[in-house]
Amino acid sequence: MEKKIGIIGSGQVGIALANGLTRHGYDIMVGTNDPEKYMDIQSKTHSAMRIGSFEETAKFSDLLILAVKGAGAEEAVRRAGIDNLKNKTILDTTNPIEEIAPTNGVLHYFTSLEESLMERLQKVAPEANFVKCFSCVGNAFMVDPKFGDIKPSMFICGNDDDAKTRTRHLLDEIGWETEDMGKVEAARAIEPLCILWCIPGMIRGQWMHAFKLLKLY
Ligand SMILES: NC(=O)c1ccc[n+]([C@@H]2O[C@H](COP(=O)([O-])OP(=O)(O)OC[C@H]3O[C@@H](n4cnc5c(N)ncnc54)[C@H](OP(=O)(O)O)[C@@H]3O)[C@@H](O)[C@H]2O)c1
């Protein structure tokens, strides 16, 4: 399993994953465009956390996690350097959230049900192996989610089977049951799960939940 994980993005998701995966023994680099954020990132992680540009983070990693604002995701992939992403597994946490107020707790997306954000990213870097992951749960639960005896479901998808196997191994280790929904187009169904996940929070202030797929097979 890859030990060097690069996280492109230093928001709540980037920081939660950096701290959680460090606990599991991974060597982490957090990427930001903004050198003025280095001190802030260090104060939220540990003082020896590696921090670099998106490009340095991509070069450092065996496996990458993309954790940037949806509207900046294509730009972030370009800044990481398309050549640095060749044949690399990239766990894509992003959601295409439009920057306008939700309607009765329902977020607006800038994509449609005919084209997900991850399909756009896969077109920007055709030789990278994107896997949708972590997009449908709050950052507090991304590593070692605790729901009593129940392991929550993480819905993933992507074109490369080997990349999905690597993703499954990581998810097994950090407390998730993986549900593979197929190829990149399945992101059209997975990304909107974030809208559903956020509604109880937006309308009732309840944010402590995760999805579980119940199966009779
Ligand atoms: N928050 C959650 O619990 C949660 C849960 C599931 C999925 N997600 C998804 O995960 C992603 C990250 O969310 P977040 O809450 O951690 O933070 P966020 O505020 O959505 O993203 C922060 C990061 O986005 C980068 N960024 C912003 N605009 C950019 C642009 N135009 N070009 C390139 N990069 C840009 C910033 O770069 P700099 O560091 O250079 O400023 C920063 O690192 C989002 O797509 C979100 O929908 C979030």
Side-chain angles (χ1 to χ4, degrees):
M1 188 62 209
E2 296 86 350
K3 277 295 172 193
K4 286 179 167 178
I5 297 185
I7 301 175
I8 293 181
S10 61
Q12 290 183 332
V13 173
I15 298 298
L17 288 171
N19 287 331
L21 295 173
T22 299
R23 282 200 308 275
H24 280 266
Y26 289 92
D27 192 1
I28 305 292
M29 180 182 268
V30 175
T32 174
N33 288 308
D34 183 357
E36 290 192 0
K37 284 191 179 171
Y38 281 31
M39 295 259 282
D40 182 51
I41 296 169
Q42 259 161 359
S43 73
K44 291 174 180 163
T45 55
H46 59 78
S47 55
M49 178 64 70
R50 293 170 200 268
I51 306 170
S53 65
F54 287 178
E55 189 176 11
E56 287 163 339
T57 303
K59 281 186 179 155
F60 160 84
S61 67
D62 302 319
L63 180 144
L64 263 179
I65 299 177
L66 182 65
V68 297
K69 204 177 274 295
E74 289 175 80
E75 178 59 24
V77 166
R78 288 192 195 95
R79 285 191 194 191
I82 305 297
D83 279 351
N84 300 324
L85 308 182
K86 229 175 175 178
N87 301 320
K88 205 161 266 188
T89 300
I90 307 177
L91 275 50
D92 170 26
T93 73
T94 65
N95 285 305
I97 299 172
E98 188 89 76
E99 293 202 33
I100 52 174
T103 303
N104 292 326
V106 180
L107 290 167
H108 295 275
Y109 273 16
F110 58 76
T111 50
S112 76
L113 288 176
E114 298 302 318
E115 190 196 29
S116 61
L117 179 56
M118 195 169 84
E119 288 168 270
R120 292 189 188 180
L121 301 178
Q122 189 64 77
K123 282 179 194 147
V124 173
E127 292 179 85
N129 299 323
F130 285 94
V131 180
K132 199 85 216 173
C133 189
F134 296 123
S135 61
C136 61
V137 72
N139 65 83
F141 296 105
M142 287 181 179
V143 181
D144 302 318
K146 296 275 179 288
F147 289 93
D149 295 337
I150 300 170
K151 261 193 189 185
S153 304
M154 181 59 72
F155 296 98
I156 70 166
C157 68
N159 287 341
D160 188 84
D161 287 337
D162 188 44
K164 286 192 288 188
T165 301
R166 288 162 203 260
T167 304
R168 184 186 291 271
H169 287 155
L170 179 65
L171 289 171
D172 283 351
E173 193 188 328
I174 62 173
W176 288 93
E177 191 163 275
T178 301
E179 297 294 348
D180 182 357
M181 294 291 125
K183 303 290 186 190
V184 65
E185 293 78 12
R188 296 174 198 179
I190 297 175
E191 288 172 4
L193 290 177
C194 162
I195 302 177
L196 187 62
W197 188 89
C198 287
I199 290 174
M202 300 277 189
I203 64 175
R204 290 192 294 272
Q206 295 168 334
W207 299 98
M208 306 289 277
H209 46 265
F211 292 114
K212 177 72 186 172
L213 190 65
L214 300 177
K215 296 173 283 189
L216 292 174
Y217 52 84

